[in-house]
Amino acid sequence: MAEEKSLNFIEEIIEEDLKSGKYKSILTRFPPEPNGYLHIGHAKSICLNFGLALKYGGKTNLRFDDTNPVTEETEYVDSIQEDIKWLGFEWDKTLYASDYFEQLYEFAVKLINKGLAYVDDSTSEQIAAEKGTPTQPGTESKYRSRSITENLQLFADMCAGEYEDGSKVLRAKIDMASPNMHMRDPILYRIKHAHHHRTEDNWCIYPMYDFAHGQSDSIENITHSICTLEFIPHRPLYDWLIENLEIFPSHQYEFARLNLTYTVMSKRRLLQMVNEKFVTGWDDPRMPTITAMRRRGYTADSIRDFCDKIGVAKRENLIDVGLLEFCVREHLNKISLRRMVVLDPLKIVITNYDEGRTEMVSIENNPEDPDSGYREVPFSNEIYIEQEDFMEVPSKKYFRLAPGQMVRLKSAYIIKCEEVVKDEDGKLTEIRCTHIPESKSGADTSGIHVKGTLHWVSIKHAVHAELRLYDRLFKVENVNAAEGDFKDHINHDSLQVISTAYAEPALLHAKFDERYQFLRKGYFCLDKDTSEEKLVFNRTVTLRDTWAKEQKKH
């Protein structure tokens, strides 16, 4: 029997809340800001929020935190919804912080009426200077003593568009000497004359994240508001606002965000790489975005499995990207159709096989899946093998092709190298071999045993394809801790393009939703750049973790 997995700390809290009757059912939310594409770190949060709701029979809302009209676009809203569905989750309601702008405004008015908020005319520089430092208390603003009547009027005028951007803000009146900097009269509203993707030009004041977040949770009756660790210092403000507004007491819980080796997760940095053309876009298969991983051939199952394996922690840690690749390999091994593709061709002429003859050999589609069946692959007297599968002067334990040596061609015949042909410059042009007619796979009566098996492609039947081989985007393990600008550590060899690889004809019928293992070369999927004229495949991941091996050499 499999060992029962222990509960993470959030599951323990939920189980206690349900057992004690604090809540009859749980409601979580996933609240992305629509200012970029989701990445693997968001996938962890999605799996956590939706996974908890599924486990405990609750629901999850998808709420877009659209409080900054300058950076938000409908394109991002659409991509976020697509990513969540692709990961295999369904949300209960599609909501927006902008749905609550009227209500949030009323909440702000309520705080003013309670003497707990005021309009401040200070510049952002003055406000920052008056905040003090973590070791020194702040200084109260000269506008802090404005009357409730004056604050109500000024706030209404701000809303009516009578002031310029940056000329006034609404601040909470809490404690300028608080040891928590977030409690030193935080800004609740700022003026922004900008077109909003949903409310258009109806508003020119917008709530700050700290004001919109907790109140939106409360409006929706969210029971467990799950955030990453950097929101711990924000929690006292979250609680203060809910308490003073006397609204549903949603509670915030924090877990460690995902940090991955050889990767950056900052949306700002990812946007920089897109804008400065270090990558081709948000869906460049080297990016850690979900849309890029989908294009690269990662599966939703493997990402969910990865998120499950790393678990939910209370302390920051750096996860090895090798674990993600392991999860991807493990799933792809089960589902990928096997195909033969030669990346670096060496011509083989089988001299005792009739020149005009074509023979079909039967090869299993996936040895891991008995139901995947077999396909017929054409064999002829001229084939390609990989250059690396021949060595003129072989080393001791070299079991591939060499002068006088025999190998088996996958699902076909045993061949023996008889002659090496070179051009006038001494460059290898072809290998002449003989085949053992009695050695055909499945009907071998030759009695000959060989240690090496090679993949191959019949030259006259070969299909041309472009292969894109991807590697780590950064050369250093911990990009955030590396010296200098993060872009100094970009791996400029992270993409290798093989413009013409030679594939077996079955790949003419490749589908976008299928995954392939190119024998001995890695896992691949069809790329969106594929056209009638050209097949394009992305390498999702190598068959083994070659990166770790390479790093040891340096």
Side-chain angles (χ1 to χ4, degrees):
M1 223 171 92
E3 191 184 329
E4 195 176 325
K5 201 173 169 190
S6 60
L7 299 177
N8 65 51
F9 76 97
I10 298 176
E11 289 170 334
E12 286 174 354
I13 291 165
I14 289 172
E15 293 207 353
E16 183 53 42
D17 287 346
L18 291 171
K19 194 173 149 190
S20 69
K22 184 178 180 181
Y23 304 116
K24 287 190 173 66
S25 64
I26 71 159
L27 181 61
T28 63
R29 84 290 170 267
F30 177 61
E33 202 176 336
N35 64 353
Y37 284 73
L38 300 183
H39 54 60
I40 185 72
H42 296 110
K44 178 181 175 180
S45 182
I46 291 167
C47 290
L48 179 58
N49 277 293
F50 285 87
L52 288 169
L54 281 168
K55 180 172 180 176
Y56 295 106
K59 292 177 179 176
T60 304
N61 287 342
L62 170 60
R63 181 176 74 236
F64 291 97
D65 169 33
D66 56 346
T67 57
N68 187 357
V70 179
T71 58
E72 293 157 4
E73 291 179 28
T74 306
E75 174 197 347
Y76 298 137
V77 171
D78 295 341
S79 78
I80 288 166
Q81 295 193 43
E82 194 183 334
D83 287 344
I84 297 170
K85 282 179 184 167
W86 178 76
L87 278 170
F89 297 108
E90 287 292 331
W91 53 91
D92 186 41
K93 293 175 184 166
T94 307
L95 301 164
Y96 295 81
S98 55
D99 293 338
Y100 311 132
F101 279 176
E102 197 67 55
Q103 216 162 340
L104 292 170
Y105 179 83
E106 292 304 324
F107 284 157
V109 169
K110 185 174 182 177
L111 289 175
I112 295 170
N113 274 317
K114 290 179 92 172
L116 295 174
Y118 63 97
V119 173
D120 195 333
D121 301 3
S122 307
T123 64
S124 55
E125 292 78 16
Q126 286 169 328
I127 290 172
E130 288 175 354
K131 271 272 173 106
T133 68
T135 55
Q136 285 183 311
T139 311
E140 290 185 359
S141 166
K142 63 181 179 183
Y143 302 104
R144 203 176 194 263
S145 56
R146 276 176 163 156
S147 68
I148 288 171
T149 309
E150 187 182 3
N151 282 317
L152 287 171
Q153 187 59 56
L154 287 169
F155 190 53
D157 293 344
M158 281 168 65
C159 186
E162 293 188 21
Y163 301 111
E164 290 178 11
D165 289 10
S167 60
K168 283 178 172 39
V169 291
L170 181 72
R171 294 176 71 177
K173 191 188 286 187
I174 308 179
D175 179 6
M176 289 304 288
S178 171
N180 183 334
M181 300 287 283
H182 293 281
M183 298 297 278
R184 294 183 186 178
D185 290 12
I187 296 171
L188 304 180
Y189 267 90
R190 78 281 207 207
I191 302 169
K192 231 173 217 200
H193 292 271
H195 186 79
H196 189 279
H197 73 111
R198 290 187 75 247
T199 59
E200 299 178 338
D201 300 309
N202 293 341
W203 293 88
C204 62
I205 58 168
Y206 291 93
M208 300 298 285
Y209 177 81
D210 275 335
F211 188 60
H213 175 220
Q215 283 47 260
S216 298
D217 284 348
S218 182
I219 291 165
E220 293 169 26
N221 285 5
I222 299 299
T223 58
H224 300 79
S225 175
I226 300 159
C227 300
T228 44
L229 289 180
E230 68 265 33
F231 288 98
I232 287 177
H234 298 250
R235 197 197 318 146
L237 178 57
Y238 184 102
D239 295 341
W240 184 90
L241 286 164
I242 282 175
E243 189 182 326
N244 284 290
L245 287 166
E246 301 163 82
I247 52 180
F248 178 83
S250 292
H251 192 79
Q252 179 177 301
Y253 302 91
E254 304 86 10
F255 71 100
R257 65 189 299 165
L258 173 61
N259 298 303
L260 210 54
T261 57
Y262 303 101
T263 313
V264 297
M265 296 289 208
S266 149
K267 267 202 263 187
R268 182 179 52 80
R269 286 180 167 186
L270 295 175
L271 181 61
Q272 216 176 325
M273 290 201 296
V274 171
N275 290 342
E276 294 177 29
K277 305 283 191 286
F278 285 101
V279 291
T280 56
W282 285 99
D283 69 345
D284 185 304
R286 293 165 291 182
M287 291 276 274
T289 56
I290 297 172
T291 186
M293 290 180 166
R294 188 160 69 237
R295 183 177 174 187
R296 185 162 168 168
Y298 282 36
T299 60
D301 290 63
S302 60
I303 291 175
R304 290 198 306 268
D305 183 36
F306 169 70
C307 292
D308 185 52
K309 276 185 166 64
I310 59 176
V312 180
K314 283 185 178 183
R315 288 174 59 190
E316 291 289 359
N317 53 358
L318 188 62
I319 303 293
D320 187 346
V321 72
L323 177 60
L324 173 61
E325 291 166 346
F326 167 80
C327 294
V328 174
R329 277 189 199 97
E330 206 172 45
H331 188 228
L332 290 179
N333 186 48
K334 293 173 192 165
I335 66 165
S336 295
L337 298 171
R338 273 48 170 180
R339 298 291 183 258
M340 295 195 293
V341 181
V342 173
L343 280 58
D344 185 15
L346 172 61
K347 184 179 178 182
I348 302 284
V349 178
I350 303 169
T351 56
N352 65 338
Y353 193 95
D354 292 343
E355 200 173 318
R357 183 181 171 202
T358 296
E359 183 180 357
M360 303 306 283
V361 299
S362 190
I363 308 183
E364 72 276 14
N365 282 319
N366 183 350
E368 301 288 320
D369 177 7
D371 298 329
S372 65
Y374 288 76
R375 68 192 184 285
E376 299 294 302
V377 180
F379 181 81
S380 65
N381 74 311
E382 292 189 348
I383 62 170
Y384 283 136
I385 65 167
E386 296 287 354
Q387 290 272 0
E388 66 181 17
D389 286 339
F390 173 78
M391 194 179 273
E392 196 168 358
V393 184
S395 53
K396 202 173 181 182
K397 289 191 175 179
Y398 188 79
F399 300 122
R400 286 172 271 178
L401 201 59
Q405 207 157 293
M406 289 192 279
V407 293
R408 174 169 293 285
L409 297 173
K410 168 73 179 166
S411 298
Y413 296 95
I414 293 172
I415 60 170
K416 182 180 181 183
C417 174
E418 307 286 2
E419 185 186 349
V420 177
V421 181
K422 298 181 180 180
D423 63 17
E424 53 201 32
D425 298 325
K427 192 184 170 202
L428 187 62
T429 56
E430 67 179 54
I431 307 294
R432 296 201 171 159
C433 297
T434 52
H435 80 298
I436 315 295
E438 304 78 34
S439 67
K440 189 175 180 184
S441 292
D444 187 349
T445 57
S446 70
I448 299 168
H449 297 284
V450 293
K451 287 191 174 175
T453 300
L454 308 183
H455 67 282
W456 52 272
V457 173
S458 167
I459 294 176
K460 67 180 176 187
H461 301 98
V463 172
H464 292 184
E466 178 182 299
L467 306 188
R468 297 173 183 173
L469 311 181
Y470 295 102
D471 213 331
R472 312 266 162 98
L473 191 51
F474 290 90
K475 293 179 288 188
V476 293
E477 192 172 63
N478 190 343
V479 187
N480 292 331
E483 286 182 17
D485 190 282
F486 79 100
K487 289 174 292 184
D488 297 342
H489 306 288
I490 286 177
N491 175 14
H492 296 289
D493 299 319
S494 58
L495 169 59
Q496 180 195 350
V497 178
I498 295 173
S499 52
T500 308
Y502 298 88
E504 63 170 90
L507 280 172
L508 274 176
H509 309 292
K511 295 175 184 169
F512 284 99
D513 59 351
E514 287 179 339
R515 300 289 179 269
Y516 303 95
Q517 185 195 103
F518 293 176
L519 293 187
R520 302 166 65 223
K521 290 296 168 188
Y523 294 99
F524 288 77
C525 71
L526 207 55
D527 184 72
K528 67 174 189 178
D529 290 343
T530 290
S531 63
E532 291 288 330
E533 295 75 41
K534 185 169 75 169
L535 287 169
V536 180
F537 288 92
N538 296 323
R539 184 172 68 190
T540 308
V541 70
T542 54
L543 289 181
R544 289 174 200 85
D545 183 4
T546 51
W547 177 272
K549 207 159 135 189
E550 283 302 310
Q551 292 306 97
K552 282 174 188 167
K553 291 180 188 175
H554 297 297

